Amino acid sequence: MRDEMRPILPADAPAPDALLNTLLEVSQTGVMLLRPIYEAGGSIIDFELEYLNPAAQRLLGQPEHPAHTLLSIYPHAGFATGVFAFYRDTFESGVSRQEHFNYQYDGIDGYFRVVARAQGPLLVVSIADDNDTPRTAMQEALRRSQQAEQQARAAAETERNLLQAIITQATVAIGLFQGDECTVTAANDLICAIWSYPKGEVLGRPLLEAVPELVGQGFDDLVREVARTKQPYIGEEMPAQLRQPNGRVETRYFNFAFQPLYGPTNEVIGVVDIAVDVTEQVLARRQVQELNEQLQQLNTELEGRVQQRTAEVQQALAEAEHQRGQARLQQELLSQILGQVPAIIVTFSGPDHRFTFFNEHYQTLAGGRAVLGRPWAECIPEAVLQGLAAMADGVYNTGQPLITRETPAELVHEPGRSRYFDITAQPLLDAQQQVRGVQVFAMDVTERVLARTERETRQRELQTIFEQVPVPITILQGPQLEVQLANRAICELWGRSPAQVLGRPYFEAVPATAGQGFEEILAGVMQTGETFFIDEQPVQLDRAHTGLPPLGYFNFAFQALRDATGTFNGLVAIGTEVTDQVLARQQVQQLNDQLAAINEEMQATNQQLADTNHRLSRTNADLDTFVYSASHDLKSPITNVEGLLLALREHLPPEAYKYEHVPQLLAMMEDAVARFQQTLLHLTDVSRLQQNTTNQPPEAVDLPSLVEAVRLDMAPELEAAGATLETELDGCPTVKFSAKNLRSVVYNLLSNAIKYRTPQRPPHVRLHCRHVGQHVVLEVHDNGLGLSEAQCRELFQLFRRLHNHVPGSGVGLYMINKIVENAGGSIEVRSELGVGTTFTVFLPATE
């Protein structure tokens, strides 16, 4: 049967193989041999092009033996046109089949008539050009519809490439959040760098899950609020705790905008985040938020529709119109996105910078003068005069981006008003990487510049006010405690000029104070934020050139300052020199020491007793006169300071009280004056004590009644401290002593027991009295902080304070010790740090 089907050839015809080769070479019909490619399951997934005769090579533009498969060379031969399905089905059927194809893809555009049949392991295909065959009106309409689809698709691709170029070359961080969980649906490399997370780890995840450091900082609430109210949110210099590339979490500051993004029907489809990191003054501009997912979806839908074969002409025409509508929608969406970005966006083309795009923000700024296709200098001539066009020339000619900060500009339709802009100019490149235009992102920062100028003016006014204050004041700010403000009084105290201290770290500006304990004090104030007072602190200063001694004594007050976020970022220090008072008290102490020496000499000889008593009386009189004179003479200067403060309050303009530090500083200065006046009162009390203690006659005192009266007076202190007071007075219900002086002794000892309590346990105080020999013994025991042996030895010195965390003057124990000693008694103290203290008072038992 096979032999019967062979064609009958002349006897002298060439061999069949040679004849076949010649036939294939001269044939005007293309012939191809295809070999199927199978997947693992046995299905045909592609064809290898084993052989193309010359006619097929001319039709398809391929060599005789192409190196790639059918679908690799002609990807649209698959689902879009059905060519591959025709070849596959024909091979599997084993019979001859023919089909007409209109192929307008992959560099080929024409009608073809195709006949195919399986022959052993190969598929033999005959392909002929069918373009000359007359077409029906429906076929021509279908062809035009397919061409329209391709044009719409090309236009959409052009728009997508423009958006991609803008996003790729933008210099600001952009993110897109969608849904109630603020899912990150788009994020460029800059915003991922700000978060310190790769893009693959954040896309598609809720914001707080992708960037857990933002939990509790309120940014997700702001995003939801913008989506709900459709109102944008602008943040300037907002702090955010974010992970850094080194793994640590640090505070960064940002200018950002949360902008609602609207869909075609004006519904909110997401919130665009455009952020600029201003912590390191790295300038970046707000850029267009990528909507690749939406554009990709649109492109996918467009491509799917284009690839669908239309069975009827009306359906094809409707599909083409639909695709053109999608392209218009895509272009409108791109313009809408750029128009919603709260920044100025402009693109120019050519060396004369013709407008190719500008958003609504720029057109508003330009007063409606920008016109597409016209040169920038022609529409906005002042751009040339103010050097802005020259910036664009530089970017276009060099291909290098340009970033400027707070560039001034004046517009002709806004006479007399200056605006300031942060500008980023970026070259736009064509497919050959040649500069074809310039893209400009700009942000109007006029309000920021004016606000900073106003702050600087206020700071100068505040410096002027400080200069007028007679009390030494300085303001230290930042982690290095830089001297921001220092008035003349404190510069004189330091022995330095303002130029030597302003803007420098404190211990660099005043090196003489280093190593004297101020490092720990200032660090403690900055850490805890608690006001700290120091009385009569000895300080060595480098002020020999001022004529003052290097060693001085000072009262200090330190108050921490907070910034807008509540963080302690500096402190105010007020100092008052009390060297004269300290030296006067030291002289008093020296006189007391001399008095003790005289008393010892008096005990050595009775013969010198009278003379010694006379000298003692005279010395005491001189001492009282000196203390009285010193306290009296010092009252006048401190009264003058108090008057100056009052006058300052009366004459300060109301605007001065608007500065947050002025009322605080005035209050601190008044407190320092009050403390100084209190010290003078204590000096007067000491003088009176010397005169009056010997004139107080003893009397029978009901000790339980006296202690109960003291308990009632101290009831608020006992309740506030949660303290318990235990008394045992049965051993001495009546004591022969001055009632006033005995009350002072009891009150001071009980008050100290409450005042110097430990926070580790509730205070418990025990007071009991007993007769021991010739003495009445009064004992007060507490479970407070306790004292060291060295502190016990200094306990009864005048103005000596061992704890600075509670108010006090260092006079109380000195006075009650003098009261008891002048009455012929004594006081002993036993104490252990962290356990408690016991004061034992021995009073003479008078009949």
Side-chain angles (χ1 to χ4, degrees):
M1 183 67 180
R2 203 168 178 82
D3 292 337
E4 294 175 358
M5 293 179 62
R6 287 181 181 271
I8 301 175
L9 300 176
D12 58 349
D17 291 344
L19 186 62
L20 176 61
N21 290 335
T22 301
L23 178 63
L24 292 174
E25 290 179 2
V26 302
S27 174
Q28 294 300 310
T29 301
V31 177
M32 298 187 298
L33 297 180
L34 308 183
R35 185 182 299 275
I37 300 174
Y38 298 91
E39 65 176 354
S43 299
I44 298 176
I45 59 174
D46 203 347
F47 287 91
E48 293 181 355
L49 301 177
E50 291 281 350
Y51 168 78
L52 276 71
N53 74 337
Q57 296 173 32
R58 290 190 296 272
L59 283 174
L60 302 180
Q62 296 294 328
E64 181 178 3
H65 303 286
H68 301 287
T69 66
L70 173 69
L71 293 181
S72 297
I73 300 174
Y74 307 108
H76 289 83
F79 177 76
T81 60
V83 173
F84 169 75
F86 169 74
Y87 289 162
R88 181 195 61 206
D89 296 344
T90 300
F91 183 85
E92 291 177 346
S93 68
V95 299
S96 296
R97 298 179 64 182
Q98 65 177 349
E99 184 62 84
H100 289 81
F101 292 101
N102 177 18
Y103 201 90
Q104 295 178 310
Y105 307 96
D106 308 320
I108 298 175
D109 185 7
Y111 289 93
F112 299 93
R113 183 175 66 255
V114 180
V115 180
R117 178 179 177 180
Q119 186 65 41
L122 301 176
L123 178 68
V124 180
V125 179
S126 173
I127 179 169
D129 186 343
D130 200 25
N131 288 304
D132 295 334
T133 302
R135 308 297 173 194
T136 64
M138 181 176 295
Q139 289 175 325
E140 288 299 329
L142 177 61
R143 179 176 177 83
R144 288 194 298 272
S145 173
Q146 291 173 338
Q147 289 178 339
E149 290 177 0
Q150 287 186 326
Q151 292 173 355
R153 182 177 167 200
E157 182 67 17
T158 300
E159 295 296 336
R160 189 188 71 82
N161 290 337
L162 175 60
L163 177 59
Q164 184 63 34
I166 292 175
I167 293 175
T168 302
Q169 300 181 37
T171 56
V172 295
I174 298 180
L176 175 63
F177 310 121
Q178 292 183 305
D180 190 59
E181 292 186 344
C182 305
T183 300
V184 182
T185 57
N188 66 358
D189 293 337
L190 290 177
I191 200 166
C192 291
I194 288 174
W195 293 336
S196 294
Y197 287 99
K199 185 182 296 185
E201 294 184 10
V202 299
L203 288 179
R205 300 176 65 190
L207 176 62
L208 298 186
E209 180 182 324
V211 190
E213 292 79 13
L214 293 178
V215 173
Q217 300 188 46
F219 292 101
D220 54 324
D221 294 332
L222 288 177
V223 171
R224 283 188 285 269
E225 184 67 11
V226 169
R228 184 183 66 82
T229 64
K230 299 186 179 180
Q231 296 296 319
Y233 181 86
I234 307 298
E236 291 190 4
E237 298 181 0
M238 291 286 286
Q241 295 286 334
L242 291 172
R243 189 181 74 167
Q244 301 305 302
N246 58 14
R248 294 185 299 181
V249 176
E250 298 179 1
T251 299
R252 306 290 292 180
Y253 294 87
F254 299 89
N255 291 345
F256 68 89
F258 287 157
Q259 177 73 31
L261 183 63
Y262 300 97
T265 60
N266 203 34
E267 79 281 6
V268 175
I269 61 175
V271 175
V272 177
D273 176 15
I274 302 176
V276 179
D277 187 340
V278 297
T279 305
E280 306 296 336
Q281 301 302 319
V282 178
L283 303 177
R285 298 303 111 219
R286 299 178 184 269
Q287 65 178 12
V288 179
Q289 166 61 37
E290 288 187 337
L291 295 177
N292 284 336
E293 292 184 2
Q294 291 86 341
L295 295 179
Q296 183 63 38
Q297 181 179 358
L298 292 174
N299 289 336
T300 301
E301 293 176 359
L302 178 60
E303 184 175 347
R305 292 188 179 94
V306 171
Q307 291 176 352
Q308 292 178 357
R309 299 191 62 191
T310 307
E312 299 177 354
V313 174
Q314 293 299 326
Q315 181 179 358
L317 293 174
E319 184 68 20
E321 182 63 27
H322 177 71
Q323 296 302 328
R324 287 194 293 273
Q326 289 294 318
R328 288 195 299 272
L329 177 61
Q330 184 178 6
Q331 185 174 6
E332 293 173 358
L333 180 60
L334 174 61
S335 299
Q336 181 185 10
I337 293 172
L338 297 178
Q340 293 178 17
V341 173
I344 296 168
I345 302 177
V346 187
T347 59
F348 304 105
S349 67
D352 57 350
H353 311 306
R354 293 180 178 272
F355 285 105
T356 57
F357 174 83
F358 50 80
N359 64 354
E360 187 65 26
H361 292 281
Y362 181 78
Q363 184 67 302
T364 301
L365 179 69
R369 293 178 291 161
V371 179
L372 291 175
R374 295 181 62 183
W376 187 17
E378 179 182 326
C379 298
I380 318 292
E382 61 267 31
V384 177
L385 300 176
Q386 299 179 38
L388 299 178
M391 294 182 185
D393 290 339
V395 175
Y396 185 88
N397 294 330
T398 65
Q400 298 297 318
L402 174 68
I403 298 177
T404 68
R405 178 176 173 80
E406 298 180 359
T407 302
E410 293 187 6
L411 301 172
V412 295
H413 63 281
E414 295 180 345
R417 178 183 180 185
S418 294
R419 289 180 178 267
Y420 299 86
F421 299 91
D422 288 349
I423 301 173
T424 299
Q426 188 85 7
L428 292 176
L429 307 178
D430 58 18
Q432 288 72 39
Q433 298 300 303
Q434 298 298 314
V435 178
R436 62 178 179 84
V438 177
Q439 169 187 287
V440 177
F441 286 84
M443 178 181 293
D444 189 340
V445 295
T446 304
E447 293 184 1
R448 185 182 73 193
V449 174
L450 296 179
R452 186 182 68 247
T453 302
E454 183 178 358
R455 287 197 302 270
E456 293 172 352
T457 301
R458 290 181 178 178
Q459 188 172 13
R460 288 193 295 270
E461 293 175 352
L462 184 60
Q463 175 69 38
T464 301
I465 294 172
F466 282 173
E467 287 294 335
Q468 298 174 359
V469 176
V471 177
I473 302 174
T474 183
I475 294 180
L476 312 178
Q477 286 189 324
Q480 299 297 321
L481 295 178
E482 293 183 359
V483 181
Q484 297 298 314
L485 292 175
N487 67 353
R488 184 179 296 103
I490 200 161
C491 288
E492 292 175 354
L493 183 150
W494 288 335
R496 314 282 285 180
S497 67
Q500 292 175 309
V501 298
L502 290 178
R504 301 176 63 187
Y506 172 73
F507 290 105
E508 179 183 325
V510 193
T513 60
Q516 300 187 50
F518 289 100
E519 294 90 336
E520 295 79 5
I521 293 172
L522 299 183
V525 173
M526 290 292 290
Q527 181 177 0
T528 64
E530 296 181 357
T531 304
F532 192 79
F533 297 95
I534 306 177
D535 293 332
E536 299 178 0
Q537 174 73 20
V539 182
Q540 289 284 348
L541 294 171
D542 182 14
R543 56 180 185 175
H545 59 284
T546 65
L548 297 173
L551 178 62
Y553 294 85
F554 301 88
N555 290 344
F556 290 107
F558 301 97
Q559 173 67 53
L561 300 176
R562 299 176 184 265
D563 59 17
T565 64
T567 303
F568 297 116
N569 69 335
L571 59 85
V572 177
I574 300 178
T576 305
E577 184 165 4
V578 293
T579 303
D580 292 340
Q581 298 93 302
V582 174
L583 295 179
R585 191 177 67 252
Q586 290 177 351
Q587 291 178 2
V588 173
Q589 185 63 42
Q590 290 175 0
L591 291 175
N592 285 335
D593 294 341
Q594 294 174 6
L595 180 60
I598 292 173
N599 286 333
E600 290 180 359
E601 293 178 2
M602 290 175 58
Q603 294 176 359
T605 173
N606 290 332
Q607 181 64 35
Q608 299 176 353
L609 180 60
D611 295 338
T612 302
N613 286 335
H614 177 70
R615 288 196 299 273
L616 178 60
S617 299
R618 185 175 61 191
T619 301
N620 285 335
D622 292 343
L623 175 60
D624 294 340
T625 300
F626 173 79
V627 172
Y628 177 81
S629 297
S631 61
H632 182 271
D633 292 344
L634 291 173
K635 286 180 180 178
S636 180
I638 198 62
T639 302
N640 290 339
V641 173
E642 185 178 22
L644 288 173
L645 287 175
L646 180 60
L648 180 60
R649 274 194 178 274
E650 293 176 351
H651 292 88
L652 273 179
E655 293 80 8
Y657 287 93
K658 297 179 181 178
Y659 299 108
E660 60 178 292
H661 300 313
V662 169
Q664 182 182 15
L665 292 173
L666 290 175
M668 293 177 67
M669 288 188 287
E670 290 171 349
D671 182 66
V673 169
R675 291 168 61 83
F676 190 84
Q677 290 174 333
Q678 186 66 31
T679 301
L680 295 181
L681 290 176
H682 288 318
L683 284 173
T684 303
D685 290 340
V686 171
S687 176
R688 292 173 179 171
L689 176 66
Q690 295 294 112
Q691 299 175 4
N692 296 332
T693 51
T694 58
N695 298 326
Q696 295 290 332
E699 58 183 290
V701 179
D702 185 349
L703 185 59
S705 298
L706 184 144
V707 171
E708 183 59 25
V710 171
R711 182 205 294 269
L712 292 176
D713 289 345
M714 293 182 59
E717 298 177 48
L718 293 169
E719 182 177 357
T724 56
L725 174 60
E726 175 186 355
T727 61
E728 182 180 342
L729 307 175
D730 295 338
C732 43
T734 302
V735 178
K736 297 284 287 185
F737 202 80
S738 166
K740 177 181 177 181
N741 289 344
L742 184 58
R743 189 186 188 283
S744 295
V745 172
V746 173
Y747 183 89
N748 272 278
L749 293 178
L750 292 180
S751 177
N752 284 349
I754 301 302
K755 188 184 301 182
Y756 300 105
R757 63 186 179 272
T758 176
Q760 298 177 355
R761 52 186 172 271
H764 179 81
V765 183
R766 181 173 179 269
L767 185 152
H768 66 96
C769 183
R770 64 185 185 279
H771 279 276
V772 178
Q774 299 298 317
H775 292 87
V776 173
V777 180
L778 187 66
E779 192 171 85
V780 177
H781 173 76
D782 65 62
N783 63 343
L785 294 172
L787 301 166
S788 65
E789 291 184 5
Q791 289 175 319
C792 288
R793 289 193 294 270
E794 300 174 0
L795 192 60
F796 297 108
Q797 295 180 13
L798 182 60
F799 295 108
R800 187 68 176 97
R801 300 196 64 227
L802 304 178
H803 299 283
N804 290 323
H805 67 284
V806 296
S809 61
V811 173
L813 289 177
Y814 172 83
M815 292 184 64
I816 66 171
N817 187 48
K818 287 298 181 183
I819 289 173
V820 173
E821 287 182 350
N822 290 338
S826 63
I827 300 180
E828 294 179 356
V829 59
R830 302 188 310 277
S831 186
E832 183 178 352
L833 278 173
V835 177
T837 303
T838 300
F839 286 87
T840 304
V841 181
F842 297 87
L843 300 176
T846 305
E847 293 295 337

